[in-house]
């Protein structure tokens, strides 16, 4: 290739990259625009917003909307703020994510390293559960929770999310462990290691990437869920239901700055999870996709 051709190729490549970066920047700005509107209006006094200045930076900076959304905002008929509902969500999400992840890991371990008759059918049924819409399980789950005495409670919500998320976590761990050498498991069996010892000493230490995937997926789905929370939460409703009640409250003036602050508070935990561990998500998904 001549020097002129090389210079033309480099110039064309530079122009192409510049165009791609500009398009990506445009999409990024478009995607971040709602977040910008929420943030700047959450630190404005209400008169600035009602005056038609939603896109401008705040002339008077205030954290009063955040304090109100957290502790004194009208949620339905009670001026409790989002704090008690945030605690409900934490009490629901942490055990639900932990239990569904551990059970999914054990299921994946059994379905790949302790094969049994009709294990493919069992995995197929678990996989089928991933595609069942939320609305279909509402009535059966309500009956089960009522018989167990867990209706309208945080443990009931934990059970609902564990059952619904088990298919996903099993799928992740099953595909991940399928790429793990079965010979190592057999060697451990010959050395006298049992079921849980093999899982604890051999499989679990190498499960970091897929565990991050499972935790991020479950945390995001459970925290952002609205349907199960409003259907089975009773008096222990999660954050998303409280945010809806805050926005839909018809008492007094619509405090848009408080609504924006509440929306950010509701989204903050999942945002932090993706910031801290998001780069491991795709890496964990790809780790078990290719065997060898």
């Amino acid at each position: 290739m001549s020097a002129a051709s090389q210079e033309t190729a480099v110039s064309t490549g530079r122009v192409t990259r510049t165009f791609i970066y500009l398009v990506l920047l445009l999409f990024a700005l478009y995607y971040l625009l709602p977040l910008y509107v929420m943030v700047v209006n959450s630190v404005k006094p209400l008169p600035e917003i009602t005056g038609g200045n939603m896109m401008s930076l705040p002339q008077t900076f205030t954290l009063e909307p955040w304090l109100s959304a957290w502790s004194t905002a009208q949620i339905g008929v009670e001026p409790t703020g989002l704090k008690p509902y945030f605690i409900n969500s934490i009490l629901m999400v942490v055990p639900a994510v932990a239990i569904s992840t551990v059970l999914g890991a054990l299921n994946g371990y059994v379905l790949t390293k302790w094969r049994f008759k009709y294990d493919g059918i069992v995995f197929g049924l678990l996989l089928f559960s991933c595609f069942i819409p939320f609305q279909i399980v509402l009535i059966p789950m309500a009956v089960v929770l009522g018989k167990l005495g867990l209706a309208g409670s945080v443990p009931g919500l934990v059970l609902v999310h564990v059952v619904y998320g088990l298919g996903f976590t099993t799928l992740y761990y099953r595909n991940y462990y399928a790429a793990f050498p079965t010979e190592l498991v057999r060697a451990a069996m010959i050395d006298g290691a049992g079921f849980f010892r093999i899982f604890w000493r051999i499989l679990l230490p190498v499960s970091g990437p897929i565990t991050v995937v499972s935790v991020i997926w479950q945390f995001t789905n459970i925290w952002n869920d609205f349907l199960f929370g409003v259907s089975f939460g009773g008096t222990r409703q999660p954050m998303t239901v409280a945010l809806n009640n805050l926005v839909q409250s018809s008492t007094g003036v619509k405090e848009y700055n408080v609504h924006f602050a509440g929306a950010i508070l509701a989204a903050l935990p999942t945002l932090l999870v993706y910031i801290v561990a998001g780069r491991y998500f795709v890496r964990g998904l790809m780790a078990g996709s290719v065997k060898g």
Side-chain angles (χ1 to χ4, degrees), residues 32-280:
L32 292 174
L33 182 61
L35 179 61
Y36 166 80
V37 172
M38 290 171 62
V39 172
V40 297
N41 286 283
S42 68
V43 292
K44 289 180 182 178
L46 187 59
E48 282 192 38
I49 300 176
T50 56
N53 299 318
M54 292 190 67
M55 298 297 296
S56 63
L57 293 174
Q59 298 176 3
T60 303
F61 182 87
T62 176
L63 291 177
E64 186 60 32
W66 288 77
L67 299 176
S68 176
W70 179 250
S71 59
T72 61
Q74 191 80 22
I75 308 295
V77 296
E78 296 293 334
T80 60
L82 294 173
K83 180 180 178 180
Y85 302 93
F86 184 90
I87 296 174
N88 289 343
S89 289
I90 293 293
L91 294 176
M92 172 187 69
V93 169
V94 173
V97 170
I99 295 171
S100 59
T101 299
V102 171
L103 292 180
L106 288 171
N107 286 344
Y109 170 47
V110 171
L111 291 171
T112 54
K113 307 307 176 189
W114 295 77
R115 305 291 297 272
F116 55 91
K117 191 176 183 180
Y118 304 124
D119 61 333
I121 297 177
V122 173
F123 176 65
L125 292 174
L126 285 170
L127 186 61
F128 177 73
S129 68
C130 297
F131 303 98
I132 298 177
F134 282 15
Q135 294 83 353
I136 292 179
V137 302
L138 288 181
I139 295 179
M141 192 62 73
V143 174
V144 171
L145 292 178
K147 290 183 179 298
L148 294 177
L150 296 176
S153 66
V154 172
L157 290 174
V158 171
L159 177 62
V160 169
H161 288 294
V162 168
V163 171
Y164 198 85
L166 194 57
F168 292 99
T169 58
T170 300
L171 172 64
Y172 297 148
Y173 280 97
R174 188 264 182 191
N175 290 345
Y176 187 81
Y177 289 154
F180 188 83
T182 306
E183 292 76 12
L184 293 178
V185 176
R186 292 175 180 170
M189 292 179 185
I190 294 174
D191 290 339
F195 177 88
F196 288 105
R197 189 176 183 84
I198 294 173
F199 177 73
W200 182 259
R201 293 295 184 90
I202 299 179
L203 272 298
L204 201 58
V206 299
S207 302
I210 203 64
T211 299
V212 171
V213 171
S214 178
V215 168
I216 291 178
W217 177 269
Q218 282 295 90
F219 185 93
T220 304
N221 282 343
I222 296 173
W223 185 273
N224 291 336
D225 171 69
F226 175 80
L227 184 60
F228 287 157
V230 75
S231 300
F232 307 126
T235 58
R236 302 298 301 274
Q237 293 176 334
M239 189 78 161
T240 50
V241 179
L243 179 62
N244 177 74
N245 294 339
L246 170 65
V247 175
Q248 297 298 330
S249 177
S250 59
T251 58
V253 179
K254 287 286 185 180
E255 298 179 310
Y256 297 107
N257 50 356
V258 176
H259 297 171
F260 285 128
I264 297 174
L265 286 172
L268 200 57
T270 52
L271 183 62
L272 291 177
V273 167
Y274 273 101
I275 291 175
V276 173
R279 60 178 177 174
Y280 301 106

